[in-house]
Amino acid sequence: MLRPALALLLGLSLVACFPDPPGDDEDDTLDASLGDAIGDATDTRADTAADTTAPLDVDPNAPPQILAYEPLPNESAVPVTDRVEIVFDHPMAVPTGDEVVAWSAAAGRIAGTFSDEAPTRIIFEPDLAFVAGDRVDVAVRKIVASTAGEFLEAPVAYHFWTAVKPGQGKLVAGPSVAFTPGTRVLTGLIDGDRFPDVITTGVPSFGVDLLLAKAGALAEPVAVGAGRALDAVLADLDNDGDLDLAVATEGNVQIVLGNGDGTFAAARSAPATSVTLIASGDLDADGDLDLVAVESETAVVLLNQGDGTFSRGATTPAGPAASGMVVADLNADGRLDIAIVSNECCSGGGSLHVALAKGEGGAPAFTDASYTIGQGAMALVVGDFDLDEALDLAVANAADSNVGVLLNRGNGAFDPQEVYGAGTAISGLAAGDLDGDGQLDLVGGSVNDVGIVVLANRGNGVFSSAITVPGTAGARHVALVDADRDGDLDVVAETGAGVLLVRNEAASN
């Protein structure tokens, strides 16, 4: 039986950062409003489970069709102990290798085993629990076969987000490491010890620096990669189970493969030039992670050949001065799409470019659309902010000192942005469930040295006024990660003078 769509989580708020809404009782153990919000998704899973218990009446020589997923695509708050299940209309052969591939954004390709306990389901059991607050991507390749030897007609790529521990407390500024960092901050399990490490890149240093975490404390930075770096992404590009680096430089894209122990191989180049932004995802659903690189006003897909080498693929408009990019399935069709914001200022607003993938597998092509956002966009994040299982977007409109939230209509088209005042120009933005209530909150860094600001999600994609976290002045770019492995999301911030860790502490009554 498929489990309910989401686990009901304790409805406690961050005691310092997120004041309780009127009428909340801190002693309540279940959040009724969250239960209402996920009711439709729960019903969908229950109906699907009932349907798949019926006797099979299909042509065994027809291609198999996917009937259901567990967890659901785009689902939030998936238990870290969960497994991946895909339900078909045919009895399926048990995968023996790369037919279905799953990746953790925090750790790389996920190791595990396939189960034969249900004939119409492919069940993947991870060897280790998922990382809390992580994005997990899954590719179901065309080589998935029924027991009659028939293959899928088209591959599928989808993703979900894992849960954090409920009832967390305030954000407290902690230790920092002093050096001259770049203005981008990334986190991931780079050296295999399950404590998240930190990468910084970009101006003013223009280098790539690695800070390894040992028992939750950051070591001194070590230079990684080559070239004048502007952006970078951590991803498992060679499918060996550890994280690699793709670095956008003024010359080209540098691929720096990780060894899994905190060291990296020599850099090699990928076919792109003058790249300012870079992101990753399995855009052709073939079981390896591709790249999207922004060259001037164009984004180009770099297709992974399976070993961390790349060839050029489709292109799509990026707009002038592109400043933020995400890769995700925005219209829930099983293919990854691209969204890019442009840092246009003082001319009536910036632009959001959405490129929806089209076709049924193989190298992607795109259908493009544009939306008006605020001025001076500096960052873009994706997440299901209103829990309708359609991915929404949030953009940091720095010149307007606000954050714009664009809710997805369910088909990859977006409502006009709803604006939330930030009280400062936001330069970096991250989305994650800080208080463990099943809703994705927004965390930003400030251009004006104000520090970290938090916009709490109050449900249905509506956010609170921004609250500044004490002791974080200078924080400009942020990442959310469970830095101390206690099950909740902490904040790692670049301050211009180093890297600052801001811990998410348990509430005190």
Side-chain angles (χ1 to χ4, degrees):
M1 178 70 68
L2 296 180
R3 68 172 177 81
L6 295 172
L8 288 177
L9 299 177
L10 296 179
L12 300 179
S13 298
L14 282 172
V15 295
C17 294
F18 302 163
D20 291 331
D24 273 10
D25 184 350
E26 290 184 355
D27 295 328
D28 288 345
T29 57
L30 293 179
D31 185 343
S33 64
L34 177 58
D36 293 338
I38 65 173
D40 291 342
T42 304
D43 293 343
T44 298
R45 277 200 174 164
D47 292 344
T48 300
D51 291 343
T52 57
T53 61
L56 295 175
D57 184 18
V58 295
D59 178 1
N61 297 316
Q65 303 292 323
I66 296 175
L67 298 180
Y69 302 84
E70 157 67 8
L72 292 170
N74 299 339
E75 186 172 333
S76 301
V78 172
V80 296
T81 55
D82 212 345
R83 61 187 186 177
V84 175
E85 298 185 45
I86 307 165
V87 183
F88 295 83
D89 65 347
H90 284 60
M92 302 300 292
V94 178
T96 58
D98 296 337
E99 295 93 330
V100 177
V101 182
W103 300 272
S104 157
R109 181 168 175 173
I110 299 172
T113 57
F114 292 98
S115 167
D116 61 357
E117 67 183 64
T120 59
R121 300 184 186 188
I122 289 179
I123 300 173
F124 177 69
E125 298 272 7
D127 289 345
L128 299 173
F130 294 128
V131 177
D134 193 18
R135 170 173 162 167
V136 176
D137 279 73
V138 181
V140 186
R141 302 177 63 194
K142 286 184 70 172
I143 59 174
V144 166
S146 69
T147 53
E150 298 296 327
F151 298 98
L152 282 183
E153 288 186 309
V156 173
Y158 68 98
H159 32 58
F160 57 85
W161 280 260
T162 59
V164 298
K165 186 169 63 176
Q168 295 310 288
K170 59 185 179 180
L171 292 175
V172 177
S176 62
V177 177
F179 71 110
T180 302
T183 51
R184 307 275 185 182
V185 58
L186 313 171
T187 62
L189 306 178
I190 295 172
D191 60 357
D193 67 357
R194 304 293 288 181
F195 281 98
D197 309 299
V198 176
I199 291 280
T200 69
T201 187
V203 294
S205 69
F206 285 109
V208 179
D209 292 296
L210 166 65
L211 293 84
L212 293 176
K214 300 299 180 183
L218 294 176
E220 293 297 314
V222 176
V224 177
R228 188 175 167 88
L230 298 174
D231 194 16
V233 64
L234 280 167
D236 188 357
L237 300 176
D238 55 0
N239 261 349
D240 64 352
D242 52 60
L243 291 175
D244 311 303
L245 267 171
V247 183
T249 76
E250 291 183 327
N252 55 20
V253 172
Q254 294 284 306
I255 306 299
V256 191
L257 298 181
N259 297 318
D261 59 0
T263 64
F264 290 85
R268 61 195 190 196
S269 62
T273 58
S274 302
V275 176
T276 55
L277 288 176
I278 195 161
S280 68
D282 189 3
L283 282 97
D284 53 3
D286 67 346
D288 47 47
L289 294 175
D290 310 302
L291 298 171
V292 182
V294 173
E295 301 173 314
S296 184
E297 297 187 16
T298 300
V300 58
V301 176
L302 302 177
L303 295 170
N304 197 329
Q305 303 305 295
D307 57 358
T309 62
F310 296 84
S311 64
R312 290 177 69 90
T315 61
T316 188
S323 54
M325 175 167 59
V326 297
V327 174
D329 185 4
L330 299 175
N331 58 352
D333 65 351
R335 305 210 63 187
L336 298 187
D337 311 301
I338 303 168
I340 302 172
V341 290
S342 296
N343 185 359
E344 298 167 274
C345 181
C346 310
S347 60
S351 57
L352 164 69
H353 300 271
V354 175
L356 298 178
K358 57 185 179 181
E360 295 186 351
F366 298 97
T367 299
D368 303 307
S370 294
Y371 300 85
T372 299
I373 54 175
Q375 299 185 97
M378 294 285 285
L380 178 69
V381 294
V382 64
D384 184 7
F385 300 129
D386 54 1
L387 292 184
D388 64 352
E389 292 170 8
L391 294 180
D392 311 303
L393 298 169
V395 57
N397 299 313
D400 294 334
S401 296
N402 64 39
V403 173
V405 175
L406 297 92
L407 296 180
N408 195 328
R409 297 173 184 169
N411 60 355
F414 293 85
D415 290 332
Q417 68 169 1
E418 188 71 30
V419 172
Y420 298 91
T424 184
I426 298 294
S427 51
L429 193 64
D433 185 3
L434 284 178
D435 52 354
D437 65 351
Q439 311 271 358
L440 296 179
D441 309 300
L442 294 171
V443 180
S446 170
V447 174
N448 303 322
D449 292 332
V450 170
I452 293 172
V453 297
V454 176
L455 291 84
N457 191 332
R458 291 311 188 193
N460 297 320
V462 176
F463 291 83
S464 69
S465 299
I467 299 171
T468 303
V469 179
T472 63
R476 299 180 298 187
H477 289 78
V478 295
L480 298 180
V481 65
D482 184 9
D484 48 11
R485 296 180 60 187
D486 65 350
D488 58 28
L489 289 177
D490 309 297
V491 184
V492 176
E494 169 275 320
T495 67
V499 170
L500 171 69
L501 175 61
V502 183
R503 298 188 187 279
N504 193 342
E505 294 193 350
S508 57
N509 295 321

